[in-house]
Amino acid sequence: MNPPAIAIDGPAASGKSTVAKLIARELGYTFINTGAMYRAVTWYALQQGINPSDTAAVKELLKSIPLSFGKNGSVSTVMCNGKVLDEELTLAEVNDNVSAIAAIPEVRALLVTKQREYNTTEPVVMEGRDIGTVVFPDTPFKYFVTASEEVRAARRAAQGLTDSIAERDRKDSARACAPLTVAADATVVDTSELTIEQVVEKIVTDIKNRI
Ligand code: CDP
């Protein structure tokens, strides 16, 4: 049996990265940002001049993609040819194209395998879109973190980032493979009216009561 896995899913700019990182710190678990993995494939494809909607070219690229997935302390990292990727991952062109790349089943299969590998040796808090539905469907710890579209747009703007979050959510929810949906057994946490600390406390208390 694997160590515990905490699944944190939700739409764009719902604050799930921030809360997932703090929950991981409180529990002493490793924090895994799966969005960064999809973003890294997108960034690399764009670097290579590949059109993200050219599925055949993206699939071909996967055979030799020089990305590796590791950790820095207890936080996941993505590297390209040994260099840690950071600001590259939130470029506007990555935001605009990541949903197309993430809709390709072969991309998802590759990354889901890597995501599950983290949990074979250690407990994880993993955030994304399909963690409770696809990556760890059997975990009893599933949280769907959301907020009103207005609040989410304001949060992203406050970060100074250009990001069509409504468009990304539409594409992520409509795709055939592992769409963004609430797992039947997930706890929905609407963060519109809550502080980060309140969200973290609510989820950590629930986990500690049940673990
Ligand atoms: O910036 P934000 O937190 O909204 O998104 P993210 O978690 O960095 O994810 C970026 C994009 O990657 C999403 O819009 C999805 O298209 C894709 N993604 C996915 O398909 N499955 C995941 N588990 C995580 C991200």
Side-chain angles (χ1 to χ4, degrees):
M1 215 170 89
N2 287 344
I6 314 296
I8 312 274
D9 289 301
S14 56
K16 61 192 183 312
S17 265
T18 308
V19 298
K21 203 179 285 181
L22 292 170
I23 292 164
R25 196 188 292 165
E26 286 252 338
L27 297 172
Y29 292 6
T30 300
F31 165 69
I32 316 287
N33 176 350
T34 63
M37 299 167 85
Y38 290 94
R39 287 171 176 276
V41 174
T42 307
W43 173 78
Y44 187 74
L46 292 171
Q47 285 280 104
Q48 298 302 302
I50 289 173
N51 176 349
S53 46
D54 183 348
T55 305
V58 175
K59 276 162 63 176
E60 189 56 32
L61 182 80
L62 292 180
K63 294 181 187 161
S64 60
I65 198 159
L67 296 177
S68 54
F69 307 96
K71 283 194 314 172
N72 180 9
S74 55
V75 176
S76 63
T77 56
V78 184
M79 285 183 289
C80 180
N81 287 318
K83 178 192 176 290
V84 173
L85 299 179
D86 185 11
E87 278 109 36
E88 299 88 340
L89 302 182
T90 51
L91 290 171
E93 71 234 43
V94 173
N95 289 336
D96 290 347
N97 289 289
V98 64
S99 294
I101 294 279
I104 300 172
E106 288 79 2
V107 171
R108 306 200 68 82
L110 176 76
L111 298 185
V112 167
T113 301
K114 303 286 178 194
Q115 289 156 13
R116 289 185 182 139
E117 273 171 19
Y118 280 106
N119 185 234
T120 55
T121 52
E122 57 203 295
V124 297
V125 176
M126 190 172 286
E127 62 113 343
R129 300 292 188 288
D130 61 339
I131 312 306
T133 51
V134 174
V135 184
F136 300 125
D138 297 330
T139 183
F141 304 108
K142 301 183 186 180
Y143 303 91
F144 192 89
V145 175
T146 188
S148 70
E149 200 174 304
E150 222 173 24
V151 167
R152 293 187 290 112
R155 286 180 185 164
R156 189 58 27 119
Q159 291 176 297
L161 298 172
T162 310
D163 194 355
S164 313
I165 58 171
E167 179 63 7
R168 208 142 55 78
D169 287 347
R170 195 190 57 71
K171 289 182 187 155
D172 291 341
S173 304
R175 70 181 174 224
C177 182
L180 170 67
T181 53
V182 186
D185 52 348
T187 301
V188 177
V189 183
D190 187 331
T191 70
S192 306
E193 310 280 328
L194 299 176
T195 64
I196 289 166
E197 292 73 23
Q198 287 171 324
V199 178
V200 171
E201 205 206 316
K202 194 176 165 76
I203 296 177
V204 168
T205 304
D206 183 61
I207 294 168
K208 285 186 174 164
N209 281 340
R210 295 196 290 127
I211 212 155

